[in-house]
Amino acid sequence: MKIIVCVKQVPDTSGKVAVNPDGTLNRASMQTITNPDDMNAVEAALKLKDATGCKVMVVTMGPPPAAGMLRELMAMGADEAVLVSAREFGGSDTYATSQILAAAISTIGVEDDDIVMCGRQAIDGDTAQVGPQIAEKLHLPQVTYAADIQKDGDTITVKRMLEDGYMTIKVKTPCLITCIKELNNPRYMSIGGIYATYNKPLETFDYEKLKDHPLIDATTIGLKGSPTNIFKSFTPPQKGAGMMLEGADKATCEKLADILAKKHII
Amino acid sequence: MSNFNSADIAAFKDVWVFCEQREGKLMPTDFELISKGRDLADELGVNLCGLLLGGEGIESAAKELGGYGADKVLVCESPLLAVYNTDAYAKVICDVIEDLKPEAFLIGATNIGRDLAPRCAARLHTGLCADCTHLDIDVANYIQFLRESSTLDVDSQKWDMEDRNLKMTRPAFGGHLMATIICPRFRPCMATVRPGVMKKNAFDQAKADACEIVKPAFELSESDLNTEVVEVVKAAKKLVDLIGADYIVSVGRGISKDVEGGIKLAEELADVLGGVVGGSRATIDSGWLSADHQVGQTGKTVHPKVYIALGISGAIQHKAGMQDSECIIAVNKNDTAPIFEIADYGICGDLFKVTPLLIEAIKAAKAAK
């Protein structure tokens, strides 16, 4: 049994975000972190490893520096890592990304007792699309928004959150689960883990390695293979200086409610 | 691999909206999306169809969708569709789409819509844009939107006024950037739409009566389902999920003269907005609220759509936890309180007097929508 966790290195959007004059993001000004929901997926996998002794592999698609993130995740306790990285993969939208990651995961091999885990969504795009799309490409059942995961033999019971409650869902391995913050608190790297991480295997899957996989095709990967394109990108108008409303009576409150309604804020 | 049915763009027409139901009841997003879908269908000169999946008898809920603008509702009934299940819903929807070929397909970006839409888009080999906050077909309308909502110089750009692609606009990078996405080569063009953003049309009984109900053929059996929903549980008590909340009403030291009353007002205001109650460090240290309510450096960092600060002065440690909120509203007796420096809207007054008025005003504004 093994657990394959898909992770992404993202700019930390919770800090200051600088935008270039042309409306693109000044990535150089931003720190990179492991996507927060992905950390919950890694922790969920490590908890299952603690309980069952299974293997945990972390997989990411990204530029070569993303290897540093994979080393950190192995210092937390993951056993092996795969970096999927090639110029041909650049510019992929969620469809093309899931196509490539699915090819990488099926190259690693999904056995009957394996689980694939992802974070619910990445904070740079907030799409929550890649997990379900990988599941579709690998013909795996999916359970998203997991807030609790219990394993009993080949049956996994997941508490799947809804806006107004939750569903309890049973699914058999192999399957794909996307994880949310409520699931756990990710552990820190251990000193021993940091020592061990550089002796753990980190393999790079480049275009050569994946090009003969049936999912990989010039029409389905990279910028050209992506069904969606960016038509325009722009910055919203700068936040104006705050507005002190006059008075503190009924009319003031009605005026505020009216502004909020007009701006679709309420 | 390069021959997908989805690439035969000319074969696709009509705008469809996935109409989500829970326990047999339509969701508010259904009416919002049908209303927006009506505009898009009119711009394209095509029909607007709702797509409603559910258990036996769900047909009875369908006509209401006509009252908001649907010409037709496609109803798929089966005991296997009564409760949402990814495999069952994805199979029926993809089969019906491949058969009837809509050119645009909108889905509410609920926890269910965001599970379903990517699975379908991957199977149909088409593009999907997540969590859209604005949709256009007509280029002139889109240009007008950019004039109002962007810093782009639209007049210096070249525009193809005949462009009929669905232009799907969404925030990225935590709202620091906006992107407009198109899906030019495949159909249907799919979008999930953020709940609460699109304006609902007024209900029209005559249109509801005229709405056509169609029951497309589909096949579905137990063996198509790989997951089992054991139970569906509604949250009995509001859990304090500050991080995920769209609306937060926080209280500070300003409630000290009547702690219970102040918290009750905050709860009422939060209920009206569909949000939760938070608190400054002072309220937690004093034991007025439990620690899971705390916003700030030592509490939680939040960025809701609306953050309302009642009687919070705005110490740096509090601001650190909430200054990235999309809209900040502050009520404070002291007009020099630092919270006003970062508030989008400020009211200088007694929170015990202002909050009840605000609750009434917001209730009225929401009812008028």
Side-chain angles (χ1 to χ4, degrees):
Chain A
M1 175 193 171
K2 68 178 175 299
I3 304 173
I4 300 173
V5 189
C6 299
V7 293
K8 185 179 187 186
Q9 195 172 43
V10 293
D12 183 0
T13 55
S14 69
K16 278 270 169 270
V17 174
V19 177
N20 294 322
D22 63 356
T24 60
L25 210 69
N26 182 353
R27 284 177 183 264
S29 74
M30 300 167 80
Q31 294 211 319
T32 58
I33 55 170
T34 306
N35 181 55
D37 285 352
D38 300 352
M39 291 294 278
N40 298 104
V42 171
E43 177 61 30
L46 293 176
K47 279 216 165 74
L48 284 170
K49 179 186 170 181
D50 294 342
T52 66
C54 68
K55 184 161 86 174
V56 173
M57 292 184 74
V58 282
V59 178
T60 194
M61 183 168 99
M69 168 188 68
L70 295 175
R71 290 284 177 208
E72 286 179 15
L73 298 174
M74 287 192 288
M76 277 171 70
D79 301 291
E80 292 179 32
V82 171
L83 170 65
V84 182
S85 191
R87 203 169 289 277
E88 288 85 349
F89 301 153
S92 292
D93 72 355
T94 65
Y95 183 100
T97 299
S98 62
Q99 194 91 1
I100 298 161
L101 282 171
I105 292 167
S106 91
T107 300
I108 293 166
V110 179
E111 311 290 333
D112 281 350
D113 55 354
D114 288 353
I115 304 171
V116 181
M117 287 191 178
C118 301
R120 172 195 50 163
Q121 65 190 40
I123 58 169
D124 51 355
D126 288 323
T127 72
Q129 288 175 186
V130 171
Q133 295 193 318
I134 291 173
E136 171 64 21
K137 293 297 166 190
L138 294 174
H139 305 291
L140 294 176
Q142 74 191 42
V143 184
T144 54
Y145 289 85
D148 187 56
I149 299 170
Q150 300 295 332
K151 186 173 183 298
D152 181 13
D154 65 351
T155 301
I156 317 263
T157 305
V158 180
K159 181 180 182 185
R160 190 245 189 241
M161 296 312 288
L162 296 170
E163 291 87 342
D164 55 354
Y166 64 90
M167 286 176 167
T168 305
I169 296 179
K170 280 195 196 299
V171 61
K172 289 202 185 306
T173 61
C175 60
L176 182 144
I177 299 172
T178 79
C179 303
I180 59 174
K181 185 186 295 287
E182 287 74 7
L183 182 57
N184 53 42
N185 290 309
R187 66 192 65 184
Y188 294 104
M189 293 179 273
S190 67
I191 302 285
I194 293 167
Y195 277 112
T197 187
Y198 284 91
N199 293 321
K200 291 182 177 176
L202 191 163
E203 194 182 347
T204 299
F205 284 9
D206 58 9
Y207 183 69
E208 273 305 305
K209 170 96 180 176
L210 294 179
K211 72 175 170 30
D212 296 326
H213 192 283
L215 287 170
I216 301 294
D217 178 310
T219 63
T220 58
I221 60 160
L223 190 62
K224 287 214 170 111
S226 293
T228 62
N229 308 135
I230 296 177
F231 183 60
K232 296 275 174 212
S233 76
F234 56 92
T235 48
Q238 286 300 308
K239 200 171 179 176
M243 178 186 188
M244 277 307 274
L245 297 165
E246 266 181 53
D249 54 12
K250 189 159 177 268
T252 314
C253 292
E254 281 170 356
K255 184 177 175 192
L256 178 57
D258 186 48
I259 294 172
L260 299 179
K262 284 218 171 89
K263 293 192 163 187
H264 302 301
I265 294 170
I266 58 169
Chain B
M1 187 105 193
S2 52
N3 285 322
F4 298 105
N5 293 331
S6 54
D8 182 13
I9 289 180
F12 290 75
K13 72 179 219 178
D14 289 354
V15 174
W16 284 17
V17 171
F18 171 66
C19 298
E20 183 184 336
Q21 53 84 18
R22 294 189 191 175
E23 297 174 327
K25 289 198 187 70
L26 296 172
M27 299 278 284
T29 46
D30 299 340
F31 306 125
E32 297 164 15
L33 266 60
I34 288 284
S35 302
K36 185 64 207 177
R38 182 73 263 163
D39 298 344
L40 301 176
D42 287 344
E43 289 180 30
L44 287 164
V46 300
N47 280 322
L48 173 68
C49 304
L51 176 58
L52 176 60
L53 278 60
E56 306 285 353
I58 196 65
E59 182 184 345
S60 61
K63 287 251 176 193
E64 191 180 1
L65 295 161
Y68 294 94
D71 298 307
K72 250 197 272 192
V73 180
L74 307 171
V75 178
C76 302
E77 289 186 346
S78 159
L80 298 174
L81 297 171
V83 174
Y84 175 73
N85 175 291
T86 312
D87 298 319
Y89 273 56
K91 177 172 193 297
V92 171
I93 289 172
C94 290
D95 288 353
V96 174
I97 283 180
E98 286 186 337
D99 205 19
L100 301 175
K101 302 188 187 323
E103 69 176 293
F105 186 35
L106 311 181
I107 298 168
T110 62
N111 287 15
I112 282 174
R114 299 175 100 226
D115 181 87
L116 175 66
R119 186 100 199 184
C120 292
R123 191 169 304 174
L124 296 166
H125 188 86
T126 192
L128 168 65
C129 183
D131 261 344
C132 299
T133 54
H134 190 88
L135 298 168
D136 281 303
I137 297 284
D138 268 349
V139 177
N141 290 350
Y142 178 67
I143 292 173
Q144 186 55 32
F145 160 69
L146 288 182
R147 274 189 215 287
E148 290 165 8
S149 310
S150 83
T151 50
L152 286 183
D153 178 10
V154 293
D155 297 310
S156 69
Q157 303 192 12
K158 284 209 179 84
W159 298 96
D160 169 12
M161 301 307 284
E162 303 300 311
D163 171 19
R164 308 305 283 165
N165 277 306
L166 178 61
K167 288 159 274 293
M168 304 171 277
T169 303
R170 67 182 306 271
F173 294 100
H176 294 278
L177 263 187
M178 301 294 288
T180 302
I181 308 291
I182 53 171
C183 173
R185 295 178 296 123
F186 301 102
R187 293 290 181 269
C189 172
M190 289 178 58
T192 60
V193 180
R194 194 186 273 194
V197 172
M198 300 300 168
K199 200 165 179 276
K200 189 170 82 173
N201 289 339
F203 178 78
D204 182 334
Q205 186 63 49
K207 283 187 185 163
D209 294 339
C211 179
E212 187 188 346
I213 307 292
V214 180
K215 291 193 155 181
F218 67 90
E219 281 173 24
L220 183 66
S221 66
E222 289 273 3
S223 61
D224 294 317
L225 278 62
N226 293 306
T227 59
E228 180 198 349
V229 177
V230 182
E231 57 173 349
V232 181
V233 179
K234 282 213 163 191
K237 210 175 106 200
K238 191 159 276 175
L239 307 166
V240 184
D241 174 20
L242 285 173
I243 306 273
D246 282 336
Y247 299 91
I248 298 175
V249 180
S250 279
V251 290
R253 213 185 291 275
I255 62 166
S256 60
K257 74 173 183 190
D258 175 7
V259 171
E260 271 183 34
I263 291 172
K264 193 159 168 290
L265 281 174
E267 282 170 351
E268 274 180 41
L269 182 50
D271 276 346
V272 171
L273 293 166
V276 298
V277 171
S280 70
R281 186 164 152 184
T283 61
I284 277 72
D285 288 352
S286 309
W288 301 341
L289 286 170
S290 56
D292 54 331
H293 292 83
Q294 188 177 348
V295 175
Q297 188 74 42
T298 46
K300 295 195 174 98
T301 300
V302 298
H303 26 83
K305 281 202 243 174
V306 179
Y307 188 90
I308 303 184
L310 302 175
I312 295 177
S313 65
I316 287 174
Q317 94 90 24
H318 186 74
K319 286 201 273 188
M322 47 64 78
Q323 61 195 1
D324 287 333
S325 303
E326 285 176 40
C327 175
I328 297 167
I329 297 166
V331 179
N332 202 295
K333 275 202 287 200
N334 178 359
D335 66 358
T336 60
I339 192 79
F340 287 126
E341 292 164 15
I342 58 161
D344 296 84
Y345 304 101
I347 296 177
C348 180
D350 179 355
L351 75 94
F352 288 96
K353 290 190 183 127
V354 173
T355 311
L357 297 171
L358 198 52
I359 290 168
E360 289 313 312
I362 288 175
K363 266 191 202 165
K366 284 178 88 104
K369 275 197 127 178

